[in-house]
Amino acid sequence: MAEGILVIGEIAEGQLAQVSGELIGAARQIADAQGGLVNVALFGEGAEGLAQEAIALGADLVYTEDNAALSEYLPERWLTAAQTAVDFADPAVIIASTTPAGRDLATRLAFRLNTGLAQDVIEFEVQGDKVLWTRPCYGGAARAVVSVNTSPVIATIRAKTQESPEADASRSGDTIPLGVELGGDEREKLVNKQIEEKEGIQLEEAAVVVSGGRGLGGPEGFQPLEELAGVLGAAVGASRAVCDLGWYPPSQQVGLTGKTVSPDLYIAVAISGASQHMSGMAGSKTVVAINKDPESNMVKTARYAIIGDFKQVLPALTQEIKRLKG
Amino acid sequence: MNMIVCVKQIPDPETPATAFRVDEANKNVVAAQGIAPVISPYDAQAVEAALRIRDAQGEGKITIISIGAAGARDVIKHALAMGADEGVLIDDPALQNNADPFVTAQVLTAAIQKLGEYDLIICGRAAADWDYGIAPSGIAEMLGIPCVTVARKVEAKNGTVSVDKVLPDGFETVEVQRPAVVTISNELGDPRYPQLRQIMAAARKQVQNWTLADLGLSADQLNRRITIERLYIPAKQSNVEIIEGDTVEAQAANLARRLREAKLI
């Protein structure tokens, strides 16, 4: 009988992706409750070398396909490799991340395995041999708790919603190279990949994020916001509305369809707080709202708020923080 | 070039939080009074993507499919007014309030097979109600054709389709053989808005009505794979402290002091 968990791991810039560590932590919890092993599948160049890292984080068995042809995500190849890993591991539950690769793969794998999928999970609870998966829906305005009726159960879990386990170098586990036949039927090819140069402080890693919304009135509204970010050593984020309007680059979008951030301090400037945006910053530890509207959702969500015009508040705050930091 | 675009009618995502209600017993969202349902925004962009391809190619037929009750005809009409050619509404009591994307994928696939001719199937990246983003990949899997998800640009080439797929820090261009499924993200840009003349013209375009039986399916054959155990609006409790001060400078100083005390700056 199928038992245990299979985590679809990912490699990011030659390392085991942060989110994969978080998924191994989640898998460990499910396996400890339901029994069975924590299996991890790892595809792409360098997979074998990273297997030990997955074991240190809680994996029992790591299935690798250390093959440069799998370093970039292309669905058919990855599906072939993932299906091979499923055949070996025969898991009760498969979990993947909600990265572009994780989500695309898991969704197609569900149809290939004739089973169901809980998409975009932020919380889960093991209830006997069932898992209840909580996911946002209606743009984050509601939460649905879903279960999957078929086997194996597949779920995609959002980054930064699970604790990454402490690495324990003394843990032992096995690494099994899969030896996948990738086949010749390639109807898809990657022609070009363009990743923006990362400059300045990265949104996802920043301890402080200053974000702007539609209330800024135009791209020029970001100037006093960037000055505040400058004195705070903060990354700058934006709501989807302003990215769609072309006021700020889409790579800085925070929200359901943008990036998920969890800084210590999130300063939301002229953002009303649509569910779509809140979904991306709900993990922030302290939220400050600067907004004209005391009734706005962002003000109600915040720990501290200044009700006023950002054009006056931001320069005053920037000056004050400069003075404090001396 | 035959293009099929799948669209869905949903409660307006711009519904203010104060008007958004959930029926916890029936696990569905209650239609807000006075706020008309709309075409899911990504689906309008999927229609736009198909129209841009037809504009670039100088030819092409665009068929719209939707699953819904009679009222969902409005979103098909909207797509026809944007410039699509024909519509199919799949209306069956067994599909009422369907919230299982595996059923959606099964029914849409059967409808696409019944239409028979397709070079490109375009969908929104997810319907903005349940936010699953599952059905399009399922259509591709069941038809055995390639699929590229979350696109910001789609171009038809000779026998292939070139897709710019959105990534967290950029994009990649993937080229796949046709027929294929592509899903569209908001980065594609605004969909065109129908003019009055087009709305009048759309009234004369044909919309067929199909039931499950027309697709060779029955209610007990539906692939239900997900159970919604609970649906709720997350509780919000506000503990906001409004920072006061006689001047903006005083407010700023008070806020900075709070943040310093909390060791946040």
Side-chain angles (χ1 to χ4, degrees):
Chain A
M1 206 192 107
E3 65 165 19
I5 320 298
L6 175 66
V7 174
I8 308 291
E10 286 173 58
I11 299 172
E13 287 160 16
Q15 302 295 316
L16 185 69
Q18 164 77 19
V19 64
S20 299
E22 296 164 9
L23 296 188
I24 292 169
R28 193 72 259 168
Q29 281 179 50
I30 303 170
D32 288 348
Q34 296 190 336
L37 300 177
V38 172
N39 305 277
V40 175
L42 215 45
F43 310 139
E45 200 166 15
E48 271 187 61
L50 294 171
Q52 194 53 47
E53 209 177 307
I55 291 166
L57 290 169
D60 299 307
L61 259 177
V62 183
Y63 293 101
T64 59
E65 188 58 35
D66 197 327
N67 183 338
L70 292 165
S71 291
E72 297 287 351
Y73 177 75
L74 273 171
E76 274 306 330
R77 297 173 188 187
W78 270 61
L79 278 162
T80 306
Q83 266 191 296
T84 312
V86 171
D87 288 344
F88 274 101
D90 190 21
V93 179
I94 301 170
I95 55 184
S97 75
T98 56
T99 60
R103 187 189 291 255
D104 193 274
L105 177 86
T107 309
R108 292 185 59 173
L109 192 60
F111 286 92
R112 253 172 226 207
L113 301 175
N114 286 314
T115 189
L117 162 81
Q119 186 88 288
D120 204 17
V121 167
I122 57 170
E123 257 175 65
F124 65 89
E125 186 193 338
V126 181
Q127 251 185 22
D129 49 8
K130 203 166 158 181
V131 185
L132 298 179
W133 310 96
T134 301
R135 57 181 302 276
C137 54
Y138 286 83
R143 300 264 186 285
V145 179
V146 303
S147 61
V148 174
N149 309 336
T150 45
S151 178
V153 168
I154 308 184
T156 58
I157 299 182
R158 209 185 277 187
K160 295 196 174 134
T161 60
Q162 311 297 316
E163 291 275 333
S164 190
E166 291 281 324
D168 173 1
S170 69
R171 277 195 94 253
S172 60
D174 288 318
T175 302
I176 301 173
L178 284 171
V180 179
E181 292 278 339
L182 284 178
D185 172 30
E186 295 275 331
R187 289 174 298 177
E188 49 196 24
K189 64 172 192 255
L190 182 60
V191 178
N192 170 32
K193 183 166 177 167
Q194 262 174 281
I195 298 299
E196 279 171 30
E197 283 294 319
K198 293 192 175 181
E199 26 178 280
I201 301 147
Q202 295 307 299
L203 257 183
E204 295 105 313
E205 286 129 44
V208 183
V209 174
V210 184
S211 281
R214 204 176 344 210
L216 292 177
E220 66 284 354
F222 275 93
Q223 199 192 328
L225 195 146
E226 284 175 344
E227 283 165 15
L228 174 62
V231 299
L232 286 169
V236 176
S239 72
R240 177 173 147 189
V242 308
C243 295
D244 281 353
L245 288 164
W247 298 355
Y248 219 66
S251 58
Q252 300 308 108
Q253 183 185 317
V254 172
L256 186 66
T257 54
K259 297 207 161 114
T260 303
V261 299
S262 50
D264 295 329
L265 176 60
Y266 190 84
I267 303 181
V269 183
I271 301 179
S272 63
S275 304
Q276 148 36 69
H277 184 76
M278 308 309 276
S279 298
M281 46 70 72
S284 307
K285 287 175 195 71
T286 302
V287 176
V288 170
I290 295 169
N291 207 297
K292 276 183 177 169
D293 178 7
E295 295 302 313
S296 68
N297 196 29
M298 187 59 84
V299 169
K300 289 183 171 163
T301 307
R303 179 65 192 89
Y304 304 107
I306 291 183
I307 308 303
D309 185 347
F310 78 93
K311 284 184 195 138
Q312 278 128 40
V313 176
L314 288 188
L317 190 58
T318 304
Q319 278 310 317
E320 187 58 30
I321 289 168
K322 239 188 221 167
R323 198 183 62 74
L324 272 181
K325 294 205 159 189
Chain B
M1 174 106 165
N2 285 300
M3 289 179 275
I4 297 175
V5 184
C6 304
V7 303
K8 185 177 184 186
Q9 187 178 50
I10 63 162
D12 192 337
E14 303 289 328
T15 301
T18 47
F20 183 79
R21 300 254 189 289
V22 157
D23 177 348
E24 293 198 14
N26 290 310
K27 295 159 194 154
N28 57 28
V29 166
V30 183
Q33 279 282 318
I35 301 174
V38 296
I39 182 168
S40 178
Y42 300 127
D43 297 351
Q45 283 160 320
V47 177
E48 176 63 31
L51 292 166
R52 287 183 194 175
I53 291 169
R54 194 179 62 186
D55 291 346
Q57 300 272 305
E59 61 90 30
K61 180 179 165 191
I62 302 170
T63 305
I64 307 296
I65 310 182
S66 188
I67 301 174
R73 218 163 234 275
D74 290 350
V75 298
I76 297 178
K77 287 286 181 190
H78 180 86
L80 295 176
M82 285 174 71
D85 299 294
E86 285 177 14
V88 176
L89 176 66
I90 303 156
D91 180 4
D92 195 289
L95 295 170
Q96 207 173 2
N97 287 330
N98 169 49
D100 190 319
F102 292 89
V103 172
T104 308
Q106 180 189 21
V107 173
L108 290 174
T109 303
I112 291 164
Q113 283 168 326
K114 185 175 163 81
L115 285 169
E117 288 180 349
Y118 52 85
D119 300 293
L120 193 54
I121 297 158
I122 310 181
C123 307
R125 63 181 284 180
D129 50 2
W130 291 100
D131 294 328
Y132 279 119
I134 289 177
S137 299
I139 295 169
E141 281 293 318
M142 285 185 269
L143 294 174
I145 61 178
C147 179
V148 187
T149 48
V150 194
R152 61 169 210 185
K153 188 173 161 200
V154 191
E155 281 177 322
K157 298 197 168 171
N158 193 15
T160 68
V161 55
S162 171
V163 183
D164 284 2
K165 180 178 164 74
V166 179
L167 299 177
D169 291 295
F171 72 95
E172 64 187 14
T173 307
V174 181
E175 203 170 306
V176 296
Q177 280 178 26
R178 297 201 304 256
V181 176
V182 178
T183 79
I184 306 296
S185 187
N186 51 292
E187 288 86 350
L188 181 101
D190 286 338
R192 62 196 71 185
Y193 208 77
Q195 305 296 310
L196 183 62
R197 187 178 49 81
Q198 295 171 295
I199 295 170
M200 313 247 296
R204 291 188 297 274
K205 291 179 182 172
Q206 195 196 359
V207 180
Q208 298 186 70
N209 243 316
W210 290 350
T211 61
L212 282 182
D214 292 321
L215 302 176
L217 289 169
S218 62
D220 55 7
Q221 286 175 310
L222 295 178
N223 258 329
R224 294 201 173 84
R225 294 184 186 166
I226 292 178
T227 302
I228 297 178
E229 309 270 356
R230 205 182 147 211
L231 182 70
Y232 63 99
I233 296 174
K236 282 194 198 98
Q237 47 191 152
S238 182
N239 66 340
V240 64
E241 182 186 338
I242 305 287
I243 306 289
E244 308 286 356
D246 293 337
T247 60
V248 170
E249 287 72 22
Q251 283 179 302
N254 287 337
L255 174 60
R257 188 167 346 105
R258 291 285 197 295
L259 297 179
R260 178 47 64 98
E261 281 163 11
K263 298 193 166 59
L264 289 163
I265 58 171

PDB file of all heavy atoms in Angstrom, chain A residues 247-271:
ATOM      1  N   TRP A 247       3.663  51.725 -13.259  1.00  0.00           N
ATOM      2  CA  TRP A 247       4.359  52.691 -12.403  1.00  0.00           C
ATOM      3  C   TRP A 247       5.615  52.104 -11.783  1.00  0.00           C
ATOM      4  O   TRP A 247       6.505  52.829 -11.380  1.00  0.00           O
ATOM      5  CB  TRP A 247       3.461  53.184 -11.261  1.00  0.00           C
ATOM      6  CG  TRP A 247       2.234  53.917 -11.698  1.00  0.00           C
ATOM      7  CD1 TRP A 247       1.882  54.277 -12.978  1.00  0.00           C
ATOM      8  CD2 TRP A 247       1.188  54.399 -10.852  1.00  0.00           C
ATOM      9  NE1 TRP A 247       0.697  54.932 -12.971  1.00  0.00           N
ATOM     10  CE2 TRP A 247       0.231  55.036 -11.680  1.00  0.00           C
ATOM     11  CE3 TRP A 247       0.968  54.353  -9.467  1.00  0.00           C
ATOM     12  CZ2 TRP A 247      -0.922  55.620 -11.160  1.00  0.00           C
ATOM     13  CZ3 TRP A 247      -0.179  54.933  -8.958  1.00  0.00           C
ATOM     14  CH2 TRP A 247      -1.118  55.560  -9.802  1.00  0.00           C
ATOM     15  N   TYR A 248       5.652  50.787 -11.641  1.00  0.00           N
ATOM     16  CA  TYR A 248       6.791  50.138 -10.990  1.00  0.00           C
ATOM     17  C   TYR A 248       6.988  48.763 -11.624  1.00  0.00           C
ATOM     18  O   TYR A 248       6.029  48.167 -12.096  1.00  0.00           O
ATOM     19  CB  TYR A 248       6.547  50.036  -9.476  1.00  0.00           C
ATOM     20  CG  TYR A 248       7.800  50.307  -8.690  1.00  0.00           C
ATOM     21  CD1 TYR A 248       8.380  51.575  -8.709  1.00  0.00           C
ATOM     22  CD2 TYR A 248       8.435  49.297  -7.978  1.00  0.00           C
ATOM     23  CE1 TYR A 248       9.564  51.824  -8.016  1.00  0.00           C
ATOM     24  CE2 TYR A 248       9.605  49.547  -7.281  1.00  0.00           C
ATOM     25  CZ  TYR A 248      10.173  50.819  -7.301  1.00  0.00           C
ATOM     26  OH  TYR A 248      11.335  51.052  -6.635  1.00  0.00           O
ATOM     27  N   PRO A 249       8.252  48.248 -11.659  1.00  0.00           N
ATOM     28  CA  PRO A 249       8.493  46.978 -12.363  1.00  0.00           C
ATOM     29  C   PRO A 249       7.728  45.807 -11.754  1.00  0.00           C
ATOM     30  O   PRO A 249       7.645  45.701 -10.521  1.00  0.00           O
ATOM     31  CB  PRO A 249      10.002  46.741 -12.201  1.00  0.00           C
ATOM     32  CG  PRO A 249      10.573  48.026 -11.732  1.00  0.00           C
ATOM     33  CD  PRO A 249       9.478  48.838 -11.116  1.00  0.00           C
ATOM     34  N   PRO A 250       7.165  44.926 -12.597  1.00  0.00           N
ATOM     35  CA  PRO A 250       6.396  43.776 -12.090  1.00  0.00           C
ATOM     36  C   PRO A 250       7.212  42.871 -11.170  1.00  0.00           C
ATOM     37  O   PRO A 250       6.641  42.188 -10.332  1.00  0.00           O
ATOM     38  CB  PRO A 250       5.989  43.009 -13.355  1.00  0.00           C
ATOM     39  CG  PRO A 250       6.312  43.895 -14.502  1.00  0.00           C
ATOM     40  CD  PRO A 250       7.208  44.992 -14.045  1.00  0.00           C
ATOM     41  N   SER A 251       8.549  42.891 -11.313  1.00  0.00           N
ATOM     42  CA  SER A 251       9.377  42.026 -10.464  1.00  0.00           C
ATOM     43  C   SER A 251       9.262  42.447  -8.993  1.00  0.00           C
ATOM     44  O   SER A 251       9.636  41.697  -8.104  1.00  0.00           O
ATOM     45  CB  SER A 251      10.832  42.077 -10.906  1.00  0.00           C
ATOM     46  OG  SER A 251      11.302  43.413 -10.856  1.00  0.00           O
ATOM     47  N   GLN A 252       8.753  43.656  -8.711  1.00  0.00           N
ATOM     48  CA  GLN A 252       8.658  44.134  -7.333  1.00  0.00           C
ATOM     49  C   GLN A 252       7.252  43.960  -6.763  1.00  0.00           C
ATOM     50  O   GLN A 252       6.941  44.449  -5.695  1.00  0.00           O
ATOM     51  CB  GLN A 252       9.055  45.613  -7.267  1.00  0.00           C
ATOM     52  CG  GLN A 252      10.468  45.899  -7.730  1.00  0.00           C
ATOM     53  CD  GLN A 252      11.492  45.038  -7.046  1.00  0.00           C
ATOM     54  OE1 GLN A 252      12.061  44.141  -7.663  1.00  0.00           O
ATOM     55  NE2 GLN A 252      11.719  45.262  -5.766  1.00  0.00           N
ATOM     56  N   GLN A 253       6.397  43.271  -7.537  1.00  0.00           N
ATOM     57  CA  GLN A 253       5.005  43.123  -7.102  1.00  0.00           C
ATOM     58  C   GLN A 253       4.880  42.176  -5.917  1.00  0.00           C
ATOM     59  O   GLN A 253       5.380  41.050  -5.944  1.00  0.00           O
ATOM     60  CB  GLN A 253       4.182  42.603  -8.271  1.00  0.00           C
ATOM     61  CG  GLN A 253       2.699  42.484  -7.955  1.00  0.00           C
ATOM     62  CD  GLN A 253       1.957  41.843  -9.096  1.00  0.00           C
ATOM     63  OE1 GLN A 253       2.193  42.157 -10.254  1.00  0.00           O
ATOM     64  NE2 GLN A 253       1.069  40.931  -8.769  1.00  0.00           N
ATOM     65  N   VAL A 254       4.191  42.629  -4.880  1.00  0.00           N
ATOM     66  CA  VAL A 254       3.922  41.802  -3.704  1.00  0.00           C
ATOM     67  C   VAL A 254       2.445  41.420  -3.754  1.00  0.00           C
ATOM     68  O   VAL A 254       1.585  42.282  -3.919  1.00  0.00           O
ATOM     69  CB  VAL A 254       4.225  42.586  -2.411  1.00  0.00           C
ATOM     70  CG1 VAL A 254       3.773  41.807  -1.188  1.00  0.00           C
ATOM     71  CG2 VAL A 254       5.707  42.914  -2.319  1.00  0.00           C
ATOM     72  N   GLY A 255       2.156  40.144  -3.636  1.00  0.00           N
ATOM     73  CA  GLY A 255       0.752  39.736  -3.623  1.00  0.00           C
ATOM     74  C   GLY A 255       0.564  38.310  -4.086  1.00  0.00           C
ATOM     75  O   GLY A 255       1.522  37.579  -4.334  1.00  0.00           O
ATOM     76  N   LEU A 256      -0.685  37.966  -4.230  1.00  0.00           N
ATOM     77  CA  LEU A 256      -1.072  36.610  -4.634  1.00  0.00           C
ATOM     78  C   LEU A 256      -0.376  36.188  -5.921  1.00  0.00           C
ATOM     79  O   LEU A 256       0.103  35.074  -6.041  1.00  0.00           O
ATOM     80  CB  LEU A 256      -2.594  36.578  -4.818  1.00  0.00           C
ATOM     81  CG  LEU A 256      -3.251  35.245  -5.098  1.00  0.00           C
ATOM     82  CD1 LEU A 256      -3.097  34.334  -3.892  1.00  0.00           C
ATOM     83  CD2 LEU A 256      -4.717  35.436  -5.397  1.00  0.00           C
ATOM     84  N   THR A 257      -0.341  37.096  -6.919  1.00  0.00           N
ATOM     85  CA  THR A 257       0.309  36.753  -8.185  1.00  0.00           C
ATOM     86  C   THR A 257       1.720  37.318  -8.250  1.00  0.00           C
ATOM     87  O   THR A 257       2.370  37.213  -9.264  1.00  0.00           O
ATOM     88  CB  THR A 257      -0.506  37.277  -9.386  1.00  0.00           C
ATOM     89  OG1 THR A 257      -0.728  38.676  -9.209  1.00  0.00           O
ATOM     90  CG2 THR A 257      -1.820  36.558  -9.502  1.00  0.00           C
ATOM     91  N   GLY A 258       2.203  37.935  -7.186  1.00  0.00           N
ATOM     92  CA  GLY A 258       3.572  38.444  -7.193  1.00  0.00           C
ATOM     93  C   GLY A 258       4.415  37.708  -6.184  1.00  0.00           C
ATOM     94  O   GLY A 258       4.341  36.495  -6.063  1.00  0.00           O
ATOM     95  N   LYS A 259       5.212  38.442  -5.440  1.00  0.00           N
ATOM     96  CA  LYS A 259       6.108  37.806  -4.474  1.00  0.00           C
ATOM     97  C   LYS A 259       5.473  37.751  -3.094  1.00  0.00           C
ATOM     98  O   LYS A 259       4.645  38.573  -2.731  1.00  0.00           O
ATOM     99  CB  LYS A 259       7.397  38.615  -4.408  1.00  0.00           C
ATOM    100  CG  LYS A 259       8.093  38.579  -5.753  1.00  0.00           C
ATOM    101  CD  LYS A 259       9.574  38.752  -5.650  1.00  0.00           C
ATOM    102  CE  LYS A 259      10.208  38.237  -6.926  1.00  0.00           C
ATOM    103  NZ  LYS A 259      10.820  39.307  -7.684  1.00  0.00           N
ATOM    104  N   THR A 260       5.906  36.737  -2.353  1.00  0.00           N
ATOM    105  CA  THR A 260       5.495  36.604  -0.969  1.00  0.00           C
ATOM    106  C   THR A 260       6.636  37.112  -0.104  1.00  0.00           C
ATOM    107  O   THR A 260       7.764  36.648  -0.259  1.00  0.00           O
ATOM    108  CB  THR A 260       5.194  35.135  -0.643  1.00  0.00           C
ATOM    109  OG1 THR A 260       4.191  34.685  -1.559  1.00  0.00           O
ATOM    110  CG2 THR A 260       4.707  34.969   0.773  1.00  0.00           C
ATOM    111  N   VAL A 261       6.374  38.043   0.768  1.00  0.00           N
ATOM    112  CA  VAL A 261       7.424  38.565   1.634  1.00  0.00           C
ATOM    113  C   VAL A 261       7.039  38.338   3.088  1.00  0.00           C
ATOM    114  O   VAL A 261       5.856  38.230   3.418  1.00  0.00           O
ATOM    115  CB  VAL A 261       7.676  40.073   1.381  1.00  0.00           C
ATOM    116  CG1 VAL A 261       8.135  40.316  -0.044  1.00  0.00           C
ATOM    117  CG2 VAL A 261       6.446  40.912   1.682  1.00  0.00           C
ATOM    118  N   SER A 262       8.050  38.226   3.949  1.00  0.00           N
ATOM    119  CA  SER A 262       7.757  38.085   5.386  1.00  0.00           C
ATOM    120  C   SER A 262       8.811  38.849   6.175  1.00  0.00           C
ATOM    121  O   SER A 262       9.539  38.258   6.954  1.00  0.00           O
ATOM    122  CB  SER A 262       7.698  36.610   5.782  1.00  0.00           C
ATOM    123  OG  SER A 262       8.841  35.934   5.312  1.00  0.00           O
ATOM    124  N   PRO A 263       8.895  40.161   5.974  1.00  0.00           N
ATOM    125  CA  PRO A 263       9.908  40.955   6.679  1.00  0.00           C
ATOM    126  C   PRO A 263       9.521  41.196   8.135  1.00  0.00           C
ATOM    127  O   PRO A 263       8.379  40.968   8.532  1.00  0.00           O
ATOM    128  CB  PRO A 263       9.909  42.274   5.898  1.00  0.00           C
ATOM    129  CG  PRO A 263       8.504  42.400   5.404  1.00  0.00           C
ATOM    130  CD  PRO A 263       8.031  40.988   5.121  1.00  0.00           C
ATOM    131  N   ASP A 264      10.485  41.719   8.908  1.00  0.00           N
ATOM    132  CA  ASP A 264      10.188  42.112  10.284  1.00  0.00           C
ATOM    133  C   ASP A 264       9.290  43.346  10.271  1.00  0.00           C
ATOM    134  O   ASP A 264       8.435  43.504  11.132  1.00  0.00           O
ATOM    135  CB  ASP A 264      11.493  42.437  11.025  1.00  0.00           C
ATOM    136  CG  ASP A 264      12.374  41.200  11.159  1.00  0.00           C
ATOM    137  OD1 ASP A 264      11.807  40.090  11.254  1.00  0.00           O
ATOM    138  OD2 ASP A 264      13.604  41.333  11.127  1.00  0.00           O
ATOM    139  N   LEU A 265       9.532  44.220   9.293  1.00  0.00           N
ATOM    140  CA  LEU A 265       8.770  45.479   9.224  1.00  0.00           C
ATOM    141  C   LEU A 265       8.293  45.700   7.791  1.00  0.00           C
ATOM    142  O   LEU A 265       9.100  45.677   6.862  1.00  0.00           O
ATOM    143  CB  LEU A 265       9.664  46.645   9.679  1.00  0.00           C
ATOM    144  CG  LEU A 265       9.055  48.051   9.588  1.00  0.00           C
ATOM    145  CD1 LEU A 265       7.803  48.177  10.439  1.00  0.00           C
ATOM    146  CD2 LEU A 265      10.098  49.101  10.021  1.00  0.00           C
ATOM    147  N   TYR A 266       6.992  45.880   7.625  1.00  0.00           N
ATOM    148  CA  TYR A 266       6.401  46.147   6.306  1.00  0.00           C
ATOM    149  C   TYR A 266       5.690  47.486   6.376  1.00  0.00           C
ATOM    150  O   TYR A 266       4.759  47.659   7.166  1.00  0.00           O
ATOM    151  CB  TYR A 266       5.406  45.042   5.952  1.00  0.00           C
ATOM    152  CG  TYR A 266       4.923  45.085   4.509  1.00  0.00           C
ATOM    153  CD1 TYR A 266       5.666  44.502   3.493  1.00  0.00           C
ATOM    154  CD2 TYR A 266       3.725  45.717   4.173  1.00  0.00           C
ATOM    155  CE1 TYR A 266       5.241  44.540   2.165  1.00  0.00           C
ATOM    156  CE2 TYR A 266       3.291  45.760   2.850  1.00  0.00           C
ATOM    157  CZ  TYR A 266       4.055  45.160   1.850  1.00  0.00           C
ATOM    158  OH  TYR A 266       3.623  45.202   0.539  1.00  0.00           O
ATOM    159  N   ILE A 267       6.167  48.448   5.615  1.00  0.00           N
ATOM    160  CA  ILE A 267       5.547  49.774   5.609  1.00  0.00           C
ATOM    161  C   ILE A 267       4.748  49.912   4.321  1.00  0.00           C
ATOM    162  O   ILE A 267       5.306  49.902   3.225  1.00  0.00           O
ATOM    163  CB  ILE A 267       6.613  50.885   5.734  1.00  0.00           C
ATOM    164  CG1 ILE A 267       7.445  50.657   7.014  1.00  0.00           C
ATOM    165  CG2 ILE A 267       5.950  52.276   5.747  1.00  0.00           C
ATOM    166  CD1 ILE A 267       8.521  51.699   7.272  1.00  0.00           C
ATOM    167  N   ALA A 268       3.423  49.977   4.447  1.00  0.00           N
ATOM    168  CA  ALA A 268       2.527  50.030   3.290  1.00  0.00           C
ATOM    169  C   ALA A 268       2.094  51.476   3.086  1.00  0.00           C
ATOM    170  O   ALA A 268       1.406  52.044   3.932  1.00  0.00           O
ATOM    171  CB  ALA A 268       1.321  49.134   3.519  1.00  0.00           C
ATOM    172  N   VAL A 269       2.522  52.040   1.978  1.00  0.00           N
ATOM    173  CA  VAL A 269       2.238  53.448   1.718  1.00  0.00           C
ATOM    174  C   VAL A 269       1.156  53.564   0.655  1.00  0.00           C
ATOM    175  O   VAL A 269       1.336  53.075  -0.469  1.00  0.00           O
ATOM    176  CB  VAL A 269       3.517  54.176   1.254  1.00  0.00           C
ATOM    177  CG1 VAL A 269       3.232  55.669   1.049  1.00  0.00           C
ATOM    178  CG2 VAL A 269       4.656  53.963   2.237  1.00  0.00           C
ATOM    179  N   ALA A 270       0.038  54.185   1.011  1.00  0.00           N
ATOM    180  CA  ALA A 270      -1.046  54.434   0.057  1.00  0.00           C
ATOM    181  C   ALA A 270      -1.524  53.144  -0.621  1.00  0.00           C
ATOM    182  O   ALA A 270      -1.812  53.111  -1.802  1.00  0.00           O
ATOM    183  CB  ALA A 270      -0.622  55.468  -0.985  1.00  0.00           C
ATOM    184  N   ILE A 271      -1.551  52.058   0.178  1.00  0.00           N
ATOM    185  CA  ILE A 271      -2.091  50.773  -0.288  1.00  0.00           C
ATOM    186  C   ILE A 271      -3.368  50.501   0.494  1.00  0.00           C
ATOM    187  O   ILE A 271      -3.346  50.477   1.733  1.00  0.00           O
ATOM    188  CB  ILE A 271      -1.094  49.610  -0.058  1.00  0.00           C
ATOM    189  CG1 ILE A 271       0.218  49.873  -0.803  1.00  0.00           C
ATOM    190  CG2 ILE A 271      -1.699  48.273  -0.495  1.00  0.00           C
ATOM    191  CD1 ILE A 271       1.263  48.781  -0.608  1.00  0.00           C
TER     192      ILE A 271
END
